[in-house]
Amino acid sequence: MEKIWLKNWPEGVSTTLQYRLGKKPLHEYVKQNAKDTPHRTAYIYYGRQITCLEVEENSQKLANYLLEKGVKKGDRIGLFMQNCPQYIFSHYAIQKIGAIVCPLNPMYKASELEYLLNEMEAKAVISAQELYPNLEQIRAKVSTLEFIFTTNYADFLPSQPSLPIPDELKLTKVTPEGTLDLTKVFTRELKDYKNHQVNVSDDVGLMVFTSGTTGRPKGAMLTYENALFKTAASVHAQIVDDNDTWLAVMPLCHIAGMVMGVNIPVYTNTPCVLLTRFEPEATIQAIEKYKVTTWYSIAPINAGLLTYPGIQERDLSSLKINLATSFGIPVTEELSNKWKALTNGCLMFEAAYGLSETHTCDTFMPADKVVFGSCGIPTFETDIRILDLSTKEELPPGETGEITIKNPGVFKGYWKRPDATSETLKDGWVHTGDIGCISEEGYLYFKGRVKEMIKSSGYSVFPEDVEALLMEHPSIAQVAVIGVPDETRGETVKAFVVLKPDAVGSISEAEVVNWAKNHMAAYKYPRYVEFRDSLPATGAGKVLRRLLKEEKTTESKHA
């Protein structure tokens, strides 16, 4: 397709991407920042100001220690923490020695961790103290797991926090038996640098789990260049300058939260206010106190803050740009205008379209040419084609089909899944399984999903993953999972369950929901369970979720 979107490229933004410090891994940016501006504030954590030099030295101390523990280039290390400085240090420490960062959602329960750690063949995990009990239950079932670090978030709090802190930061420090205290590593003397050289274009530095088009989560292998490219593209598309201050409240374990909270502050060498998680009062105070200029959020957060008690008397006028994502509710012009009025001028618009396999942010919204309802235009060095679902031929503007993407952010493939890789990655193009179209003006519109992934509260939920977890229930013989519309979550999970004969009449649907609540992350467990005598299936026995989905859609239309 002709790059028709270039006619709407923002004024003052070059169409050629130039990297601030050149084409090299972001951990080299960490090192250069420490050399150029050692005392500049890199992160602010509830009042604790962490300098560029501290980020470099703490990540290097951990890198050295990991080498002493036998971690080699290419080894996979899980990060199982909420947002905290330790997450930042660990991310860059792992990449300094050529090992691979594997983010783990802090909402995961034991069964989910067991699957993922075995799938990635994890050598080590760095865990928050309060999350360790989930790991303790299954660590013996992961044969590759050699050691676990634990850390207490409060280890990096100031003596007098400047913002309200969540309960996790009030826990008394404990180092569970059989784990290593991560914070002790940061008190070690920094003697030397023993890093591995990495190939920025070819070496994998990050593995994020995604369903791709089908199945339980698979590890998408992302290179150092993938991360650098998408970070730089995101920054230069919005004309960030040295006077900007970022706010990171979205989970760093998610690819979008990682770009905004882990990568961009390092790439730009501008300060970032880091919160362990979103809480309204802490977020408002952070914007007021530290004069935050740029923030990434999801639409429900903004909608909620608009009705927060006393919000009209608060000073959010430092905000210039609020990149937001439509999760649960869309980023509409009405919502944007209300936010602009509250903040005295902050521009709020859809952040981007992207997926894990492309390190997200494949599009961006031109700040001077916002089109609500769209995902913006393709970013630097990006081609997007819309393919006919049947013929796979490229469609002209305005026609709806499968979104395919090609740019320097495209992943290398799925970890040890060549068949799944060949289904998704073809001649450098990612076949997303998403439905959309490109307008005559070059804006991408997302229409839905070919694949059966459920998007609940902004999280990706994979039906086969939930089904596998539900099958661990002793009373369940068969199960199928679909997404159903939900006004607050966008979609929520519904499970169709066939009970074992001896369980019929002895267990209720509500009891299955409660069991799932205790065995799965909060965004993932089914809110609805329906018992069935059987499930629709092919002659080969494969359950046809599509028929269940169509059935529920028909019921909704006739309700």
Side-chain angles (χ1 to χ4, degrees), residues 269-543:
N269 197 13
T270 51
C272 176
V273 181
L274 180 67
L275 302 185
T276 291
R277 56 184 168 85
F278 171 73
E279 288 190 335
E281 185 59 33
T283 298
I284 293 166
Q285 287 190 32
I287 295 170
E288 290 179 317
K289 184 174 182 65
Y290 299 108
K291 304 302 179 186
V292 171
T293 62
T294 311
W295 182 29
Y296 168 63
S297 66
I298 58 175
I301 286 179
N302 299 87
L305 288 177
L306 286 169
T307 61
Y308 187 76
I311 191 64
Q312 296 296 334
E313 284 70 52
R314 309 302 288 269
D315 182 9
L316 307 183
S317 61
S318 63
L319 285 172
K320 296 190 305 182
I321 290 181
N322 189 161
L323 306 168
T325 299
S326 298
F327 284 152
I329 63 173
V331 178
T332 62
E333 186 170 10
E334 180 184 9
L335 179 62
S336 176
N337 286 337
K338 288 180 178 179
W339 189 252
K340 186 175 183 179
L342 173 68
T343 59
N344 195 29
C346 176
L347 299 177
M348 176 189 177
F349 45 76
E350 192 76 41
Y353 168 85
L355 54 159
S356 297
E357 288 87 345
T358 62
H359 210 289
T360 198
C361 297
D362 295 299
T363 66
F364 75 97
M365 187 69 71
D368 58 346
K369 299 170 185 174
V370 173
V371 175
F372 290 96
S374 82
C375 303
I377 63 176
T379 192
F380 300 87
E381 301 176 39
T382 295
D383 283 321
I384 294 182
R385 295 177 182 173
I386 307 299
L387 302 186
D388 184 276
L389 294 178
S390 300
T391 67
K392 304 303 179 185
E393 295 294 321
E394 184 176 357
L395 295 170
E399 295 291 319
T400 297
E402 183 182 11
I403 301 169
T404 62
I405 297 170
K406 189 174 188 178
N407 62 34
V410 168
F411 75 142
K412 290 194 72 171
Y414 297 114
W415 170 254
K416 293 191 172 183
R417 299 290 186 90
D419 291 344
T421 299
S422 63
E423 290 177 8
T424 300
L425 188 58
K426 301 175 183 180
D427 298 322
W429 289 85
V430 172
H431 292 244
T432 67
D434 287 342
I435 301 297
C437 70
I438 291 180
S439 71
E440 295 284 352
E441 298 301 314
Y443 286 76
L444 178 69
Y445 288 79
F446 172 75
K447 302 290 187 178
R449 295 172 177 83
V450 177
K451 52 193 177 184
E452 296 173 311
M453 182 182 72
I454 303 161
K455 206 72 172 182
S456 179
S457 298
Y459 295 98
S460 298
V461 180
F462 317 121
E464 291 177 69
D465 188 35
V466 178
E467 290 163 3
L469 294 164
L470 282 170
M471 287 301 294
E472 296 180 12
H473 191 292
S475 298
I476 293 178
Q478 193 179 20
V479 63
V481 161
I482 66 169
V484 295
D486 185 289
E487 289 185 359
T488 58
R489 300 184 181 90
E491 288 183 290
T492 197
V493 178
K494 177 168 183 174
F496 297 85
V497 170
V498 177
L499 294 174
K500 294 177 180 178
D502 59 356
V504 175
S506 64
I507 185 172
S508 69
E509 293 157 334
E511 286 175 307
V512 174
V513 171
N514 287 331
W515 181 91
K517 184 177 181 179
N518 291 323
H519 287 79
M520 300 180 206
Y523 67 86
K524 185 187 295 186
Y525 76 84
R527 264 58 175 187
Y528 306 103
V529 169
E530 182 177 327
F531 290 158
R532 292 284 185 97
D533 294 329
S534 62
L535 298 175
T538 65
K542 181 180 179 181
V543 173

Side-chain angles (χ1 to χ4, degrees), residues 27 62 66 71-72 74-81 86-104 120 122 124 126 204-209 219-224 227 252-255 258 262-263 359:
H27 61 259
L62 178 55
L66 291 172
V71 176
K72 303 183 295 296
D75 283 341
R76 281 75 54 205
I77 299 181
L79 295 186
F80 191 40
M81 295 173 276
Q86 298 95 308
Y87 192 108
I88 309 290
F89 306 150
S90 299
H91 178 100
Y92 287 116
I94 293 165
Q95 293 188 338
K96 279 173 177 282
I97 59 174
I100 300 174
V101 174
C102 299
L104 297 165
M120 73 174 75
I126 302 174
V204 175
L206 176 68
M207 187 187 296
V208 293
F209 279 87
M221 298 183 291
L222 296 160
T223 68
Y224 294 89
L252 302 181
C253 64
H254 292 175
I255 194 72
M258 187 185 307
V262 178
N263 296 354
H359 210 289

Side-chain angles (χ1 to χ4, degrees), residues 27-218:
H27 61 259
E28 291 293 334
Y29 279 69
V30 172
K31 186 175 182 179
Q32 192 63 45
N33 291 345
K35 180 179 179 181
D36 294 341
T37 56
H39 305 300
R40 178 176 291 178
T41 298
Y43 288 91
I44 303 169
Y45 188 59
Y46 297 95
R48 168 75 180 271
Q49 301 208 17
I50 298 166
T51 66
C52 294
L53 184 62
E54 286 180 274
V55 176
E56 165 62 11
E57 290 190 342
N58 283 335
S59 60
Q60 189 61 54
K61 288 175 184 179
L62 178 55
N64 291 353
Y65 190 76
L66 291 172
L67 288 173
E68 292 174 18
K69 294 290 292 182
V71 176
K72 303 183 295 296
K73 185 176 182 178
D75 283 341
R76 281 75 54 205
I77 299 181
L79 295 186
F80 191 40
M81 295 173 276
Q82 295 188 69
N83 298 358
C84 59
Q86 298 95 308
Y87 192 108
I88 309 290
F89 306 150
S90 299
H91 178 100
Y92 287 116
I94 293 165
Q95 293 188 338
K96 279 173 177 282
I97 59 174
I100 300 174
V101 174
C102 299
L104 297 165
N105 192 313
M107 298 174 74
Y108 285 151
K109 301 295 175 63
S111 296
E112 295 161 308
L113 290 168
E114 180 184 348
Y115 168 78
L116 292 170
L117 293 175
N118 277 310
E119 184 72 11
M120 73 174 75
E121 300 174 336
K123 183 155 189 169
V125 176
I126 302 174
S127 170
Q129 171 189 315
E130 91 282 5
L131 300 175
Y132 176 69
N134 291 302
L135 281 169
E136 186 177 30
Q137 293 180 51
I138 54 90
R139 67 180 298 177
K141 300 177 183 179
V142 184
S143 61
T144 59
L145 189 56
E146 296 183 9
F147 58 95
I148 296 175
F149 287 99
T150 55
T151 189
N152 185 296
Y153 301 122
D155 287 346
F156 278 87
L157 281 180
S159 57
Q160 296 293 326
S162 63
L163 303 172
I165 61 174
D167 291 341
E168 304 94 300
L169 275 68
K170 301 174 184 177
L171 295 174
T172 301
K173 182 180 177 68
V174 174
T175 302
E177 184 177 354
T179 71
L180 303 167
D181 182 358
L182 179 65
T183 306
K184 285 186 177 180
V185 175
F186 303 135
T187 64
R188 289 160 50 107
E189 181 182 356
L190 180 57
K191 297 180 180 179
D192 50 21
Y193 288 70
K194 301 177 180 178
N195 301 332
H196 289 295
Q197 291 296 316
V198 299
N199 184 309
V200 68
S201 298
D202 293 331
D203 287 344
V204 175
L206 176 68
M207 187 187 296
V208 293
F209 279 87
T210 173
S211 71
T213 53
T214 58
R216 294 196 77 180
K218 297 175 283 291

